[in-house]
Amino acid sequence: MKKLKLFSLIALSSTLALTSCGGSGTSKGGGTKKFVSKTGWKPNEKQGWFFAGKQQKQKGWPGMVYVEGGTFTMGLVKDDVMHDWNNSPRRMQVSSFFIGETEITNYEYREYLTWLKYVFPPSDPSFKEIYNGALPDTLLWDNKLSRNDLNETYFRDQNYDYYPVVGVSWTQANRYCEWLTDRANEKALMQAGIIAKDLYINESNNQGGTAFNMDKFKSNDPEMQGYINEQRLAQKSGMKTTNQRLLAANRSPSSAMVTKFRLPTEVEWEYAALGMEKNREYNSYTEKKPEIDMLRGTKGKDRGMILANFKQGRGDYSGPAGWKNDGAAQTSDVRQFPSNNIGIYGMVGNVSEWTADVYRPIIDEDASDFNYYRGNVPQAIVRNGDGTYKMVDEGTIKYDTLADGRLVYKNLPGQFERETIADYRNYRDGDRMSSLEYRNASDSASSFNMYNAPTSRFVVDGNGKVILQKDTKERTSAMTNDIRVVKGGSWQDSAYWLDPGQRRYKTQNSGYGWIGFRVAQDARVSDKARTRR
């Protein structure tokens, strides 16, 4: 009898063990709620060695709008009257992202310049090009056949604080995005109590290469020890140990509190401009109207009024006095007109905008129909001989050259030096290197370049001024790796260019009086439930 009971207990325990390992039936899913590692440890257990931090609810940074990813038809929905054949309709998938509620304003760009001037004063010969190279080109307002004093007032006058900044090249806009990533994380760390709030009150802080940046913070650089409250950081990151070795080991992969800022890609910009999330019933889009059909208000005081800043016709930028069509002969406040369906302002008119993409006439959806982007140039941090990261100092700052001869920094003192490890800007773009017959760099046929574009050569004159020389050779194309996609219409464009599907290109090292920019960030998929609309 005792043997029978013992056998029954063994059988029961075996059944329970098998059940606990799986085979318990269908689960509802819905995401991971309670997690235990295969090692048997729960996340952030005090007695353990691995502290992953607490998962945070996704929250947009001030001024950013969440755009839920999805599939849509990219390109024009009307006749290509210009016969560009560079924006034919194609199906694309976009992952979720954040995008700026408005373009970057004069106020925000002056914040950037003031910080550069404070940390890297141009009076110091080592830093003289940093501030000067970041300035927008204000002379572009000058017109040889019209009187215009905006070159003296538009950027600096407080009355234009909330107008879009213009005259900023694509290269300068990218430097701004990098700077904004550091400053946003700096502010978030201040709010969390990890960085002292007297960072800018104390004059001894933020001098040259000692300024805070995310390179040094994420690598646990010794220079950051004077800024950071280690105890508060451990609390915020979920580290429940006093073991200094474990604290150091878990600090190394520390991630940013605010996701990296960047320029939106062409496909992201167009998807956000359309705001098609609201034009949906269940899993089908209900319509994709041409933008020209939505330029006039339909309700209340806006009924029949133009709700975008663009050129109405020859010699008509604003309409008659007393009854202005759009209220602005040139640019206007970034929130002058209503937002689109998902809360983004200025995607139609006012200023066109830089996107991240290198321009090519055709988008190769066969090669990539997911988050399409041409312009990938992966970089890696350079290491010293002892394995530590190589830091930029006053003598190793690198520069790009703008079209007007000014130098714009590639890196700042205190950041880690980076090197390019690949360049995919030309990948499958139709040239010889993209063809099936191409073998290697020694291929004799590769000497012919179908994108026979002008080259940029700079010389220094007797006064030390850098001047762009004109390319006098016969050229057959404007396609280079230095031209970027420009999206949207501007105050000086006709309604034709207002369609989000339209695309143009401009040189990345030049600023223009009708091109601004806005920023974007990566985002996780939202956890919200499906809805009918």
Side-chain angles (χ1 to χ4, degrees), residues 328-340:
Q330 292 171 310
T331 58
S332 59
D333 189 295
V334 292
R335 290 183 175 86
Q336 182 71 32
F337 300 103
S339 68
N340 68 3

Side-chain angles (χ1 to χ4, degrees), residues 408-433:
V408 57
Y409 68 87
K410 288 184 177 182
N411 47 27
L412 289 172
Q415 295 177 341
F416 293 149
E417 187 174 324
R418 287 169 168 79
E419 60 181 352
T420 299
I421 57 176
D423 188 344
Y424 300 120
R425 290 176 295 179
N426 281 333
Y427 181 71
R428 288 177 61 107
D429 67 347
D431 63 3
R432 174 68 179 175
M433 294 176 65

